[in-house]
Amino acid sequence: MKFNLTLILLGISFLFYTCVENNETRPPNIILIMADDLGYGDLGCYGNTRIKTPYLDRLAKNGLRFTDFHSNGAVCSPTRAALMTGLYQQKSGLEGVIYVKGETRKVGLDTAFTTMAEVFKSAGYATGMMGKWHLGYEKQYNPVHQGFDEFIGYLSGNIDYKSHYDNAGIYDWYDGLDSLAENGYVTDLIGKHAIDFARKNKDRPFFLYLPHEAPHVPFQGRNDPAFRYPDREFTYLGPVEDRERAYKDMVEAMDESIGLLLLSLESMQLLENTLIFFLSDNGGYQQYGDNGPLNGTKGTLYEGGHRVPAIAYWKGKIRPDVSDDLLMSFDLLPTLSSMANIEIDQQKFDGIDFSKRLFGEELGHERNLYWRYRGQRAIRSGDMKLLLTKSDTLLFDLNKDLGEKEDLSTTRPELLESLLNDYTSWDQEMNQYQLVTD
Ligand SMILES: [Ca+2]
């Protein structure tokens, strides 16, 4: 009798323990939002006074805002390859953009790589992606073959926000592998599908990747007409004349769509258990994007090409703060996995796990970061940056000269040589891979 009672008590305490454990250790939902071509100075929380972004500003105010966060690439596909794999994009071959027209149309992210979505899926997460893929047009490279249970969005670099045709005049709006006929402004559709996905999976951990089109060209606000159709001549940037107005509309529509998602998460009581990370995939485009105090734009390896807005928000868990830690897109795979308590072999990735910084601890991690695109090369070591353009060798101290105006290459010859040596070894390592360039 006594033996049985002990067993029952043991059973009860075990049940109690597992219940408590389940409540306390249910891994958080992860929502990764990426803007397209959003410049360092395009948001209110990064100093913009013209474009109104109250929801992202609120995330930044109540979360951790990064001032030295970088995209792996200065253009779309390379950053996305690095983000998905946690590796320098050269390792998956995607050093350049995949274009709808021409040779690169056939290439994509090899499914042999472990993607961020596969990491979450293998840990039991529901995985969804709503928005821009840009890592391969062929069906074999589709997000549904790369770890995403669900994918609604487009495959190319940009589509008409209203008609959903790409720049080659091909219809580009999908639900998984199938073409999806759906009316609406792309930014709103991405937001709507994101909310649907969160609602459908509210009772289990989910990973939601939201790569927005905004504010990538063409210039189209919510009230601007569709213009791309297969039987029509059209320009890449679109017919809207007041591009500044359209650009503002595009950023503000994205902010509103993120606001609606936040409200929806709050109404489902999911905010306390959801980590939201927001960033951009490269710098602002030409004169249209605002890169704040930075020199250069999208496509260049000046800071304006790759220093991007980035915000981490988790209600009640991440304390409001500003971080000047040097971080990059490919750090998100190791970091978000760690935040979800998923064990991965950190050594396999080029990115680092910066999760402890999200909880206010010091990172204490020194490393060099590298970029290479269309004959430009750059290395970052601490505050110092070596930039090799096609014609110049430039050395900058970003702590004193964020705008990269004062070249120190002749005054710091020893540092220059040491950075050149570091760069050369990385360059040689990357040359071992078969590269797609543009
Ligand atoms: Ca981009």
Side-chain angles (χ1 to χ4, degrees):
M1 185 66 187
K2 191 181 176 192
F3 178 67
N4 283 344
L5 183 66
T6 311
L7 265 185
I8 291 164
L9 284 174
L10 265 176
I12 290 170
S13 63
F14 176 73
L15 270 176
F16 179 72
Y17 175 74
T18 47
C19 288
V20 169
E21 188 190 49
N22 279 342
N23 276 339
E24 285 184 353
T25 61
R26 176 179 155 170
N29 308 308
I30 307 282
I31 300 182
L32 174 58
I33 308 172
M34 191 158 72
D36 197 350
D37 293 6
L38 185 78
Y40 190 70
D42 270 332
L43 301 178
C45 52
Y46 283 84
N48 200 300
T49 51
R50 192 178 66 88
I51 302 174
K52 304 298 173 206
T53 52
Y55 295 104
L56 283 165
D57 295 349
R58 203 177 304 162
L59 280 194
K61 189 174 165 228
N62 298 310
L64 185 57
R65 184 174 70 87
F66 296 89
T67 58
D68 202 0
F69 201 102
H70 297 262
S71 56
N72 276 79
V75 287
C76 310
S77 304
T79 294
R80 287 152 206 267
L83 179 76
M84 281 296 114
T85 61
L87 299 167
Y88 276 108
Q89 58 268 28
Q90 285 80 6
K91 295 188 178 177
S92 54
L94 298 173
E95 184 165 285
V97 173
I98 299 172
Y99 287 106
V100 284
K101 301 172 183 171
E103 285 295 298
T104 59
R105 192 177 169 84
K106 294 277 172 211
V107 303
L109 178 64
D110 194 321
T111 51
F113 287 92
T114 299
T115 66
M116 190 187 287
E118 283 161 346
V119 169
F120 282 102
K121 190 179 168 75
S122 65
Y125 272 65
T127 55
M129 171 186 160
M130 311 298 154
K132 164 171 164 172
W133 178 234
H134 212 184
L135 289 173
Y137 296 97
E138 303 279 333
K139 280 197 162 46
Q140 70 193 79
Y141 302 122
N142 192 278
V144 297
H145 297 314
Q146 308 267 16
F148 290 101
D149 300 327
E150 282 185 49
F151 158 58
I152 298 175
Y154 59 106
L155 304 171
S156 68
N158 63 92
I159 57 176
D160 182 311
Y161 282 71
K162 292 277 187 69
S163 73
H164 313 154
Y165 282 86
D166 71 18
N167 192 42
I170 301 167
Y171 188 75
D172 191 5
W173 191 249
Y174 290 89
D175 179 352
L177 298 166
D178 303 318
S179 184
L180 173 65
E182 188 174 38
N183 292 323
Y185 186 67
V186 162
T187 306
D188 297 328
L189 291 178
I190 290 172
K192 169 191 169 301
H193 290 302
I195 291 172
D196 288 349
F197 179 85
R199 190 171 293 136
K200 200 161 57 182
N201 294 290
K202 68 181 170 55
D203 296 322
R204 59 181 288 204
F206 63 79
F207 166 63
L208 174 57
Y209 174 43
L210 281 187
H212 268 283
E213 174 162 28
H216 196 294
V217 299
F219 293 99
Q220 276 176 303
R222 275 202 190 99
N223 299 318
D224 295 315
F227 69 99
R228 287 184 186 170
Y229 291 101
D231 53 352
R232 234 188 249 180
E233 292 271 308
F234 56 79
T235 59
Y236 177 55
L237 301 182
V240 168
E241 284 178 13
D242 189 351
R243 291 173 172 173
E244 202 170 286
R245 189 271 307 153
Y247 191 89
K248 175 177 155 73
D249 286 353
M250 289 150 82
V251 177
E252 292 182 354
M254 176 180 71
D255 186 67
E256 282 167 30
S257 137
I258 291 168
L260 286 176
L261 173 62
L262 292 170
L263 285 172
S264 164
L265 292 171
E266 193 168 30
S267 73
M268 291 186 276
Q269 296 179 321
L270 288 179
L271 265 191
E272 284 80 1
N273 197 35
T274 302
L275 166 66
I276 298 166
F277 201 96
F278 173 88
L279 76 168
S280 179
D281 73 330
N282 51 251
Y285 179 65
Q286 296 185 355
Q287 72 272 33
Y288 307 106
D290 183 343
N291 287 314
L294 311 179
N295 196 356
T297 56
K298 174 185 181 180
T300 75
L301 293 188
Y302 283 97
E303 292 293 288
H306 56 78
R307 189 184 287 236
V308 293
I311 301 162
Y313 174 82
W314 184 356
K315 189 178 179 184
K317 292 284 195 330
I318 294 178
R319 284 215 327 259
D321 200 358
V322 177
S323 158
D324 63 357
D325 292 281
L326 175 59
L327 299 166
M328 191 130 105
S329 338
F330 65 6
D331 297 330
L332 285 167
L333 190 156
T335 302
L336 297 179
S337 315
S338 172
M339 294 296 280
N341 300 320
I342 302 171
E343 281 196 27
I344 57 168
D345 181 357
Q346 298 280 350
Q347 300 303 317
K348 283 187 179 169
F349 300 96
D350 294 326
I352 58 158
D353 170 10
F354 66 87
S355 56
K356 66 178 186 177
R357 182 64 189 86
L358 298 179
F359 295 123
E361 287 179 56
E362 290 214 4
L363 209 50
H365 197 109
E366 286 288 328
R367 57 165 172 178
N368 292 342
L369 291 178
Y370 301 87
W371 294 262
R372 188 170 82 177
Y373 182 60
R374 285 188 174 173
Q376 311 162 80
R377 292 144 289 164
I379 168 173
R380 179 75 188 275
S381 183
D383 288 329
M384 303 307 292
K385 177 178 174 185
L386 170 69
L387 173 62
L388 305 163
T389 66
K390 284 173 192 163
S391 53
D392 296 309
T393 297
L394 304 163
L395 182 66
F396 299 113
D397 180 350
L398 297 179
N399 188 37
K400 296 181 183 141
D401 177 26
L402 189 56
E404 295 169 292
K405 303 286 186 204
E406 192 189 346
D407 172 28
L408 304 173
S409 60
T410 52
T411 53
R412 305 281 301 273
E414 282 172 20
L415 178 64
L416 179 71
E417 193 185 334
S418 143
L419 290 178
L420 276 170
N421 284 338
D422 286 351
Y423 180 81
T424 305
S425 1
W426 179 81
D427 197 71
Q428 285 167 352
E429 190 196 338
M430 294 305 125
N431 285 341
Q432 295 167 17
Y433 300 95
Q434 191 155 2
L435 298 168
V436 175
T437 51
D438 64 5

